[in-house]
Amino acid sequence: DSATLVLLVYLSIVHYRVIMKLSFLAGCLFLLSRQGSAFHVAPRLQPSTSLGMFGGAGAAAPKEDNPEEAKQMAQMAQAMGMSVEEYTMAMNARARLEKSLDNTMVKAGKADTVQVERDLNNPAKKFEVTITEGGKALGKEGLSKELVAALKKSAEEARVGRAKAQREMMEYIGEQLKK
């Protein structure tokens, strides 16, 4: 997932005016192809304290007092066929997208029966289902029907939110290229 997104960012940087519309469509198609059903469960990775290639928290530029970090970043940029500036912009865009996906929440369902709240990630990192006494009073079939509807609606809203977040990332890249 991350490698594909970085590739899209790279193509946008190198061929911005010609490729912008195509990369946006490819990204949307990629996100659409990654959609599972509301009941799709993906394996979770164990949390790690080490930062991988895409672990930047928006501070993609190497620290001025750390030449080793600057050298490592230059090597990563070269390995991807980018300049350090392009790589830094791509990592900042990726970090912004990740933050947006983590912090934007969607709610679906009815607060008085069944409500689903989740972030925009697929699969969601934060996923809460609230079933009230009113929901329990619907009975097994009624509750099941409400829950399925809320799950489907939340999955759809998250899909739309991811597409919007990716559009915002592409706009950010466009703004950075104009500078």
Side-chain angles (χ1 to χ4, degrees):
D1 290 347
S2 297
T4 304
L5 187 56
V6 169
L7 179 60
L8 288 174
V9 171
Y10 172 70
L11 289 174
S12 296
I13 291 170
V14 175
H15 305 282
Y16 175 72
R17 292 191 177 142
V18 176
I19 303 295
M20 185 59 127
K21 289 180 183 175
L22 292 175
S23 63
F24 174 72
L25 290 173
C28 288
L29 289 174
F30 171 75
L31 287 174
L32 287 172
S33 71
R34 302 293 298 164
Q35 298 303 309
S37 72
F39 299 104
H40 176 74
V41 178
R44 293 281 185 183
L45 298 175
Q46 290 293 340
S48 173
T49 57
S50 67
L51 294 177
M53 188 165 100
F54 302 107
K63 308 294 182 266
E64 293 176 6
D65 57 345
N66 191 344
E68 182 61 34
E69 189 177 328
K71 180 181 174 186
Q72 186 180 23
M73 184 169 284
Q75 289 173 342
M76 288 188 289
Q78 183 180 15
M80 297 183 81
M82 301 172 141
S83 70
V84 174
E85 294 79 20
E86 291 169 336
Y87 180 80
T88 301
M89 185 187 344
M91 292 301 100
N92 282 335
R94 172 76 178 127
R96 287 170 58 102
L97 177 63
E98 187 174 315
K99 183 178 178 184
S100 177
L101 295 177
D102 289 345
N103 294 334
T104 305
M105 299 294 160
V106 295
K107 287 184 181 181
K110 301 173 186 168
D112 59 335
T113 56
V114 177
Q115 189 168 31
V116 175
E117 181 179 9
R118 61 168 292 172
D119 61 26
L120 300 180
N121 290 296
N122 190 25
K125 291 180 182 177
K126 180 185 182 220
F127 188 89
E128 292 181 11
V129 177
T130 305
I131 301 174
T132 65
E133 291 301 321
K136 292 176 188 176
L138 294 173
K140 186 177 178 179
E141 285 190 34
L143 177 60
S144 179
K145 185 178 176 182
E146 289 287 322
L147 182 57
V148 168
L151 288 169
K152 284 182 179 178
K153 179 119 171 96
S154 71
E156 175 62 22
E157 288 180 14
R159 184 188 65 76
V160 170
R162 281 191 297 278
K164 180 182 177 202
Q166 189 170 23
R167 262 192 319 276
E168 290 171 355
M169 180 191 71
M170 299 304 267
E171 289 170 3
Y172 168 78
I173 293 169
E175 291 169 8
Q176 295 300 308
L177 289 172
K178 290 177 185 175
K179 290 182 180 180

